[in-house]
Amino acid sequence: MARYLQVSNEIASDIESGLLSPGDELPSIRGAADRYKTTGSTIGRAYRHLADAGVIEITDRRRSRVATGGELAARRLLAGPLVLRLAGSDDPGLDIALRQTEGSVVTVGARGSFHGLTRIWRGTADAAAIHLRHRSGGHNSPFARTLLRGRRPAIIHLWRREQGLLTPEGNPDHISGPGDLRALRVARRQFGAGTRVLLDRLLAEAGIAPATVTGPEAESHLEVAMSVASGQADTGLGVRAAATALGLSFVPLVWEDFDIVLSGDDLPAAEPLISALRDPGVQSSIRALDGYDLSRAGSVEMLA
């Protein structure tokens, strides 16, 4: 570790432990250089690093004091960069946004809305990307309110996206909706995925028992599209973007809300993702995938 960071951490540790309190004056650069047996330039760099992190304040007289709230800032600095553990559903647009966060968001666990919510409940994830309709008729918010009751439930809005049936180019089976799937091989997402829940609901509404439908299982929307493109399946439910990517035909069925649910306490760790979602370049790349409405992308809603 660079020497200036070592000095910064030692000072931050003294502030975090209470040995130094808000308003306490730090040694001059020369005095600190003698204390830590290093150069004045190293101390100056360490002080600037602490000031940038909100741990200390540097006055006009070039004397430094512990900042108000410096103990909390010191704790954050010592803990290192915040990392958001994100579980939940698969989405091509979300993959683009995550690449922009430069490692500050890590994906954990199997894909799927149910899996993501389960990980939040177990404490093995901080946030989950979901697209689920609650029995009350609401989307996503009811799950956040109940699962995170007492923990300041919040939603980061991603976008609305279009789901439909992917078919070979030209739709050779003349599929017009879920009612036409009875005798076809259907690529389906795994149990626990929001798209599997949606497919089963649409089949039931069309009078087809979901258990009677056969076909390969896929772990992502792109895998659904590849199953259709390779001839392993006649059709499958997925986002329009996956159909566009592989040159498939698309039978539109629903637009759905796709959001991230999390505790309000974890919003600071989500800031890099929120910034990425609001970035015009990121939004342009997602729109180019096809089938996205980004009018609320990156907006945050605290739920009562």
Side-chain angles (χ1 to χ4, degrees):
M1 182 184 294
R3 181 58 180 150
Y4 86 93
L5 290 175
Q6 292 176 329
V7 173
S8 297
N9 285 351
E10 288 185 46
I11 296 172
S13 294
D14 288 343
I15 295 171
E16 193 270 337
S17 67
L19 290 176
L20 291 171
S21 301
D24 285 353
E25 190 173 276
L26 272 63
S28 65
I29 288 179
R30 179 179 296 179
D34 290 341
R35 174 181 297 184
Y36 294 103
K37 297 181 173 54
T38 188
T39 64
S41 61
T42 296
I43 296 299
R45 192 174 180 188
Y47 278 10
R48 287 193 298 274
H49 179 64
L50 290 167
D52 289 342
V55 179
I56 67 172
E57 298 172 343
I58 300 176
T59 68
D60 292 338
R61 294 182 295 121
R62 306 199 64 77
R63 300 289 289 186
S64 302
R65 298 180 184 275
V66 179
T68 301
E71 66 276 21
L72 295 177
R75 191 172 301 133
R76 288 194 297 268
L77 181 67
L78 292 169
L82 295 174
V83 175
L84 183 77
R85 299 170 299 167
L86 177 64
S89 186
D90 161 61
D91 184 83
L94 183 56
D95 292 340
I96 291 174
L98 290 177
R99 287 196 291 271
Q100 189 76 8
T101 65
E102 299 181 342
S104 60
V105 181
V106 295
T107 55
V108 295
R111 287 174 165 174
S113 296
F114 283 6
H115 296 307
L117 292 174
T118 299
R119 278 191 164 265
I120 289 182
W121 183 66
R122 290 177 174 171
T124 56
D126 307 307
I130 68 171
H131 56 109
L132 294 170
R133 188 180 76 163
H134 192 265
R135 62 186 302 170
S136 66
H139 290 79
N140 302 332
S141 295
F143 294 96
R145 285 191 178 94
T146 54
L147 189 68
L148 295 166
R149 186 182 297 111
R151 295 176 53 195
R152 300 177 61 230
I155 277 190
I156 301 170
H157 292 289
L158 295 175
W159 37 72
R160 296 179 71 242
R161 65 182 191 178
E162 192 174 21
Q163 290 244 52
L165 295 170
L166 285 60
T167 77
E169 187 177 6
N171 192 5
D173 291 309
H174 306 290
I175 297 170
S176 61
D180 297 326
L181 305 186
R182 196 180 305 273
L184 300 179
R185 296 169 300 161
V186 182
R188 298 163 297 163
R189 294 294 304 281
Q190 74 278 18
F191 285 107
T195 298
R196 178 63 173 267
V197 175
L198 175 60
L199 175 62
D200 288 352
R201 176 172 64 81
L202 293 173
L203 287 170
E205 290 175 352
I208 300 175
T212 65
V213 173
T214 61
E217 284 199 355
E219 294 187 358
S220 70
H221 289 276
L222 186 60
E223 286 189 19
V224 170
M226 288 190 292
S227 294
V228 176
S230 65
Q232 296 180 50
D234 302 309
T235 186
L237 183 66
V239 294
R240 181 184 284 273
T244 300
L246 270 71
L248 301 174
S249 291
F250 183 79
V251 180
L253 295 179
V254 296
W255 282 87
E256 62 180 6
D257 292 333
F258 189 61
D259 300 312
I260 289 176
V261 302
L262 73 169
S263 164
D265 295 337
D266 291 311
L267 283 173
E271 281 299 329
L273 176 57
I274 294 170
S275 296
L277 294 170
R278 296 172 178 173
D279 182 88
V282 170
Q283 292 193 7
S284 178
S285 296
I286 294 172
R287 286 193 183 95
L289 295 176
D290 206 8
Y292 289 93
D293 170 9
L294 282 77
S295 57
R296 300 181 70 189
S299 62
V300 178
E301 180 182 358
M302 300 301 299
L303 303 175

